[in-house]
């Protein structure tokens, strides 16, 4: 297994045992104390491969004297999440509720959902000296996280996890949820924002991505397909995750089964098609999201089928026929939307997604558009497979 596929921790950046020259940021250290780890903590490493938050692995000594990864500490991106208190209210509400559901199912709530920890003063997040929010949860031992699938079975498991998640929250009182990012998957409004970014061309980059801009403009009408069906009442709002990419699931290292859905910041009322679609975007592909060589990037129908089977086995009975029909559209539109968001961010100067080099967002947009094209070519097969596994 290449390390590029599996998510791993980086180098030590804070340690109570030795001085790490100039790298520990004061706010990170304050957060470690705020959650009560203080001098007991062995060390901290950067962790994960998310595009939004800063994630750290916190190691503590075990009774046997070994250092074990015990907690995940995160600084929430306040540029993206303007109401961190609302985000944390949603997360505590949903995870508490999930614990009850998992117990009734006979599962293990400590492994099948995240357990968030309060600060020493009893708050559900810590605000550092610059007003930035930090939160913390227990690391789930013997779990792993992937950037890219290795085999269809993993995508079947991913489908099964997100299908199950939908079912577990089917009766959750959605009216109590805060909308943590307004219009997050309103694809038509995303198109308008893209159009504004092209017109303003703030960084004078539009001339470097004319084919990509044209690609999106040619699909303007598509952006309204699911939003209109929702507004007309054809598609119901569910409690959805809204960020169902592959690296937002933990797999059980021993059994290889889907174990726990993570990254709960965007749980909001939404369409089942969007959750389904974002998983297909990120999972049913042969290349990394930021693969520069487009010859390596293909939409993989076998992976798609594995996800459909897992998702519908778990959630098929709660979905309406119209929702089943909407799933392949979800895949196309979440992929188009995501590419459009990368391109918009590129045009605006990379202020939203973390980037490692100046064209990073453009490279990401290109992989998404490649996938969209191939989904369009195979759309009928995608529809047939959704119907087949739904039994309609
Ligand atoms: P972001 O919004 O930045 O994506 P996430 O909550 O998804 O934040 O965390 C970022 C990344 O950290 C995840 O994609 C995953 O790679 C890693 N990660 C977080 N929690 C765990 C965990 N318990 N086990 C393994 N990896 C994890
Ligand atoms: C972000 O947070 P992360 O890395 O799991 C983004 C998603 C995008 C994804 C693309 C809150 O997900 O919407 O689909 O990047 N999350 C947010 O990789 O904007
Ligand atoms: Mg994530």
């Amino acid at each position: 297994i290449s390390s590029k596929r599996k998510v791993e921790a980086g180098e030590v950046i804070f340690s109570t045992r030795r001085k790490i020259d100039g790298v520990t940021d004061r706010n990170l250290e304050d957060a470690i104390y705020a959650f009560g780890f203080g001098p007991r903590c062995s060390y901290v490493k950067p962790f994960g491969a998310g595009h939004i938050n800063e994630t750290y692995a916190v190691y503590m000594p075990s009774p046997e004297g070994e250092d074990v990864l015990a907690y995940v500490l995160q600084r929430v991106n306040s540029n993206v999440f303007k109401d961190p208190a609302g985000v944390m209210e949603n997360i505590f509400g949903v995870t508490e509720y999930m614990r009850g559901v998992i117990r009734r199912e006979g599962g293990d709530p400590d492994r099948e959902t995240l357990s968030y920890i309060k600060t020493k003063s009893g708050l559900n997040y810590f605000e550092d000296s610059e007003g930035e929010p930090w939160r913390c949860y227990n690391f789930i031992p013997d779990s792993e996280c992937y950037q890219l699938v290795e085999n269809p079975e993993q995508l079947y498991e991913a489908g099964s996890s997100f299908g199950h998640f939908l079912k577990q929250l089917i009766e959750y009182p959605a009216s109590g949820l805060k909308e943590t990012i307004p219009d997050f998957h309103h694809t038509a409004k995303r198109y308008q924002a893209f159009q504004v970014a092209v017109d303003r061309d703030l960084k004078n980059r539009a001339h470097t991505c004319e084919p990509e801009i044209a690609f999106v403009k040619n699909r303007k009408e598509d952006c309204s397909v699911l939003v209109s069906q929702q507004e007309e009442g054809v598609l119901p709002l569910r409690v959805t995750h809204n960020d169902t990419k592959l690296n937002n699931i933990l797999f059980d290292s021993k059994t290889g089964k889907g174990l726990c859905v993570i990254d709960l910041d965007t749980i909001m009322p939404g369409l089942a098609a969007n959750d389904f679609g974002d998983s297909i975007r990120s999972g049913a592909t042969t290349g990394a999201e930021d693969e520069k060589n487009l010859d390596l990037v293909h939409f993989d129908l076998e992976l798609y089928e594995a996800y459909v089977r897992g998702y519908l086995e778990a959630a098929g009975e709660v979905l309406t026929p119209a929702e089943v029909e909407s799933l392949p559209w979800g895949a196309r539109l979440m992929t188009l939307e995501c590419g459009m968001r990368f391109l918009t961010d590129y045009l605006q100067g990379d202020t939203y997604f973390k980037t490692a080099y100046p064209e990073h967002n453009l490279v990401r947009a290109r992989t998404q558009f490649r996938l969209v094209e191939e989904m369009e070519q195979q759309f009928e097969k995608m529809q047939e497979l959704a119907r087949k596994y739904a039994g309609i």
Side-chain angles (χ1 to χ4, degrees), residues 150-167:
E150 293 157 350
N151 53 58
E153 206 47 32
Q154 285 173 342
L155 221 55
Y156 168 82
E157 287 299 327
S160 175
S161 289
F162 281 119
H164 188 199
F165 184 84
L166 178 87
K167 224 167 113 175

Side-chain angles (χ1 to χ4, degrees), residues 5 13 89 117 171 193 207 217 302 309-310 316 329 358 383:
R5 288 177 181 254
I13 53 162
E89 246 175 69
I117 297 167
E171 284 178 9
H207 69 100
K217 287 193 169 170
E302 189 192 354
R309 189 164 57 85
W329 267 109
Q383 289 174 311

Side-chain angles (χ1 to χ4, degrees), residues 50-52 184 243 245 248 263 281 289 341-342 352-353:
H51 294 340
I52 303 295
F184 189 50
D243 190 359
K245 73 178 179 186
N248 288 330
D263 200 347
R281 173 191 80 74
E289 187 177 79
R341 291 171 61 200
F342 288 143
Y352 187 92
F353 297 103

Side-chain angles (χ1 to χ4, degrees), residues 7-10 45-51 53 55-57 145 147 247 354:
V7 173
E8 280 161 3
K45 293 177 171 183
F47 194 37
H51 294 340
N53 299 312
T55 304
Y56 301 91
C145 182
Q147 290 295 96
N247 72 8
K354 285 187 212 160

